[in-house]
Amino acid sequence: MQDEPQQNEQQPAKPSPAQVQEMLGQLPHISTTLESEEIAKLARRLSERGKLPGYEGNPSGALFECAAFGNPFDYRLLASHQTGKLTFSAKIKPKMPAIFWFVLAFTIWPGVLFTDSLLNTWFGWYPNETWITYAWYLPLTILPLPWLYKAVMARTRLAALVHAHEQIHRIAKAVEGEVCE
């Protein structure tokens, strides 16, 4: 008799960040017999009921767009209609990542000054030359930034991909269409 449950089912492998990015570029489409005006009307109605966050009708070059929430940065899900087919593309909202990285980069400099002052105030044995603090503090804070960027963007893309698929299925149900991978 075993106390541990048997794991006969294998869980699907988690996609790599490159695969997630590729999947964001190849979102499923919806096959539908409705015309563009009717699709936009149904999507707007879905939004008014609170089921399609971030809805915007007729953005530049698309039928409509809605939110695809990421973590921490959001994407926009743009819907375009061709005869019998509603296609989607995902674009990151560029303002928030730019602000985030700008603030992150410019908090390093005050941090080095604060750290040097703190160490000189509290520890009498710490050298008074500021360059010593710069020599260890700047590499310690700047060198991890590329890995931080990679990790944050991978998490953002994965969350946006999951939410984009949820939105697409919700839209397909509203327009009585079928999701095609």
Side-chain angles (χ1 to χ4, degrees):
M1 195 165 175
Q2 295 178 348
D3 291 336
E4 296 178 18
Q6 291 183 356
Q7 293 183 346
N8 291 340
E9 295 179 26
Q10 290 185 1
Q11 293 182 349
K14 185 178 176 184
S16 72
Q19 290 171 323
V20 170
Q21 191 167 5
E22 184 181 325
M23 288 190 289
L24 264 175
Q26 300 173 351
L27 291 170
H29 66 275
I30 299 172
S31 60
T32 181
T33 58
L34 300 177
E35 295 297 321
S36 296
E37 296 80 24
E38 186 66 24
I39 293 170
K41 180 180 168 186
L42 290 169
R44 188 180 70 248
R45 190 175 303 149
L46 198 60
S47 171
E48 290 169 352
R49 291 189 314 204
K51 303 290 184 187
L52 197 60
Y55 172 84
E56 256 184 64
N58 262 350
S60 57
L63 181 61
F64 65 88
E65 70 178 48
C66 60
F69 297 127
N71 179 18
F73 308 123
D74 294 337
Y75 273 70
R76 300 298 295 166
L77 187 63
L78 291 101
S80 300
H81 184 253
Q82 293 124 12
T83 306
K85 189 172 165 180
L86 187 60
T87 59
F88 296 93
S89 62
K91 306 271 188 240
I92 192 165
K93 294 170 78 174
K95 191 184 284 187
M96 286 310 294
I99 292 170
F100 176 80
W101 295 112
F102 179 81
V103 168
L104 189 64
F106 284 98
T107 56
I108 291 172
W109 185 253
V112 72
L113 298 174
F114 175 75
T115 302
D116 185 60
S117 173
L118 180 89
L119 291 172
N120 281 313
T121 302
W122 287 94
F123 302 105
W125 53 265
Y126 191 78
N128 282 334
E129 294 85 18
T130 307
W131 71 266
I132 294 174
T133 305
Y134 293 171
W136 64 264
Y137 184 89
L138 292 176
L140 193 65
T141 55
I142 293 172
L143 289 178
L145 290 180
W147 288 278
L148 176 66
Y149 174 79
K150 185 177 177 184
V152 166
M153 293 311 292
R155 187 175 63 209
T156 294
R157 287 184 192 110
L158 182 60
L161 177 66
V162 169
H163 194 246
H165 277 270
E166 290 172 4
Q167 295 286 60
I168 291 169
H169 284 277
R170 190 172 290 130
I171 294 166
K173 187 176 177 185
V175 301
E176 297 172 1
E178 183 180 335
V179 177
C180 304
E181 295 295 326

